[in-house]
Amino acid sequence: MDPISATNDLLKAAAQGDESLVRSLMQQKADALYQDGRGRNAMMEAAAAGHDSIVTMLLEAGTPWNAIDKEGSCAGDLAVAAGHDSTAEVLLEAGMRAELILGALERSLGKRETGAQHQYLQQRLQYDAGERLMDAEDRAVMMAWEEPLMEAHAHAICSSGGDVLNVGFGLGLIDEAIQRRSPRSHTIVEAHPDVYAHMLQQGWDRRPGVRILFGRWQDVLPGSGLRFDGVFWDTFSECYEDMQEFHWLLPGLLKPEGIYSYFNGLAADNGFFHMVYCNIARAELAQLGFETEFVALPIDCSDPKVWEGVRNRYWQLDTYLLPVCTFVPPKKGEAAPSRGDHCQAST
Ligand SMILES: C[S@@+](CC[C@H](N)C(=O)[O-])C[C@H]1O[C@@H](n2cnc3c(N)ncnc32)[C@H](O)[C@@H]1O
């Protein structure tokens, strides 16, 4: 059979779940990467119909877990939408494995964007009527629609009422929510000079229990000797590797049973990619001694008016998965987690 006919037949055989035909067509050089008029490849067809073994076969043949069709759905999205939980699980594990290996490879090659943060910190920022904080390139640094999320994050990290740390002030939404809970102390780390000036102008240095550390968390937290009961992390112009680096600091920043939470905007333009990243973060935090649960909160910011004039539409989902990570340090005699463990791609 010629490769074009074999490829067309592969799409049909994958949808129908005919495993032996799929295998035979692959041997006849059918193209598993081919995407038809709707942008669907054979693995997407198999995933939409819940054929786990064919999905596994096509993954092993090199089909990327994260190819998307013309509507922006990947194979995992199609499996989830059709209620095929076990198929979604196969793809979730494949996604985690691939991303962890990629991350480990990039780290070992020293591949990392470092200029973006430097550029951001040099830019002039603008507070738009308290509704949003914008950078000089029309990117929203923080937006008021996040207020209910910040309220929920504050609730999680202030549960013990003790010493609380927030990294990244932005609009100060979470800091207002923390203040309403009157913790014993409230430390805020902020790196941008315009945001810091705004904080001083608003009198944040005189608010009860507040200590402001002006500078990048990378510079002001390591070696500070500070310990907290609750920590929240929400910065801007930093990447997943920066977040990992922050996570490595956590065992030295949190008291036992302390709560850590972060703005969960990982891959927030696709539901399945988002799930993969939530699971990667959970697995990596587990290696550092954290038990993580995600609390699902409905969120609707789909009104186009919200995003008028904003270049980076950083949220596109209808459910927010709020991470609540409890620090359970290893008991005496148990091995302490290390940065090296964390880089394993086998979780
Ligand atoms: C998304 S906003 C935080 C919003 C905040 N959660 C709120 O409730 O309004 C991000 C903030 O982190 C600050 N930031 C960015 N990188 C930082 C870093 N490396 N260290 C400390 N602050 C940083 C930004 O200047 C910005 O004020």
Side-chain angles (χ1 to χ4, degrees):
M1 192 185 291
D2 69 280
I4 294 177
S5 311
T7 300
N8 288 331
D9 287 357
L10 178 68
L11 286 162
K12 286 188 213 127
Q16 285 159 3
D18 189 335
E19 203 175 321
S20 59
L21 184 55
V22 168
R23 188 169 291 111
S24 136
L25 289 165
M26 299 284 288
Q27 281 158 2
Q28 293 172 61
K29 305 272 179 269
D31 182 1
L33 301 185
Y34 173 76
Q35 293 177 259
D36 67 11
R38 289 185 303 162
R40 295 266 187 112
N41 62 24
M43 192 171 79
M44 292 176 194
E45 294 292 355
H51 302 308
D52 300 6
S53 55
I54 296 182
V55 167
T56 304
M57 203 191 302
L58 291 165
L59 282 167
E60 283 165 2
T63 310
W65 71 277
N66 55 357
I68 52 170
D69 68 14
K70 289 199 171 152
E71 290 183 357
S73 300
C74 65
D77 289 312
L78 298 170
V80 170
H84 299 305
D85 294 347
S86 61
T87 317
E89 196 59 38
V90 169
L91 286 156
L92 193 63
E93 278 180 22
M96 283 178 68
R97 244 188 340 266
E99 293 305 293
L100 283 166
I101 291 169
L102 193 69
L105 263 177
E106 285 184 351
R107 272 192 296 278
S108 70
L109 293 173
K111 248 178 101 182
R112 171 118 172 244
E113 260 297 338
T114 46
Q117 167 97 155
H118 180 72
Q119 258 184 27
Y120 162 69
L121 293 173
Q122 308 273 316
Q123 286 186 17
R124 294 316 305 259
L125 303 185
Q126 193 174 335
Y127 281 92
D128 269 6
E131 284 293 301
R132 51 198 199 182
L133 173 61
M134 303 292 292
D135 77 2
E137 296 166 22
D138 294 330
R139 294 181 304 172
V141 178
M142 181 64 183
M143 302 178 80
W145 65 262
E146 287 189 44
E147 189 161 13
L149 305 182
M150 293 301 134
E151 188 68 37
H153 280 292
H155 177 74
I157 62 163
C158 294
S159 53
S160 76
D163 301 304
V164 175
L165 166 68
N166 171 42
V167 181
F169 180 81
L171 290 175
L173 300 180
I174 192 162
D175 292 296
E176 288 290 0
I178 292 171
Q179 283 284 297
R180 283 194 285 280
R181 288 165 172 83
S182 309
R184 185 167 46 230
S185 73
H186 177 180
T187 302
I188 308 170
V189 176
E190 173 53 51
H192 200 292
D194 291 356
V195 178
Y196 179 57
H198 175 85
M199 292 171 79
L200 296 184
Q201 193 225 332
Q202 303 266 312
W204 272 92
D205 51 333
R206 299 186 299 278
R207 299 286 286 265
V210 167
R211 160 177 45 204
I212 303 174
L213 301 179
F214 173 46
R216 297 178 73 217
W217 59 263
Q218 292 87 335
D219 299 325
V220 299
L221 288 178
S224 67
L226 297 169
R227 289 258 168 180
F228 302 95
D229 299 282
V231 171
F232 181 63
W233 188 84
D234 179 13
T235 67
F236 183 74
S237 205
E238 295 199 292
C239 60
Y240 187 70
E241 285 71 22
D242 296 302
M243 187 166 107
Q244 283 180 316
E245 208 165 288
F246 184 74
H247 289 174
W248 292 330
L249 289 183
L250 285 172
L253 285 177
L254 269 166
K255 300 179 200 171
E257 304 303 322
I259 303 289
Y260 166 61
S261 193
Y262 56 89
F263 175 69
N264 192 0
L266 300 167
D269 53 356
N270 174 291
F272 195 75
F273 295 174
H274 187 56
M275 254 163 68
V276 167
Y277 268 90
C278 287
N279 277 283
I280 290 175
R282 190 204 322 252
E284 294 186 335
L285 282 162
Q287 293 192 0
L288 294 170
F290 286 86
E291 287 169 7
T292 300
E293 70 170 301
F294 290 98
V295 180
L297 300 176
I299 184 85
D300 181 7
C301 57
S302 56
D303 184 346
K305 279 205 194 103
V306 172
W307 299 99
E308 252 165 39
V310 174
R311 245 184 57 197
N312 59 329
R313 182 164 178 172
Y314 60 87
W315 189 266
Q316 305 198 19
L317 307 173
D318 56 12
T319 303
Y320 182 75
L321 298 175
L322 185 138
V324 181
C325 319
T326 308
F327 184 41
V328 188
K331 296 194 185 75
K332 266 197 181 138
E334 282 179 10
S338 76
R339 224 173 135 124
D341 296 339
H342 177 73
C343 294
Q344 302 284 319
S346 58
T347 35

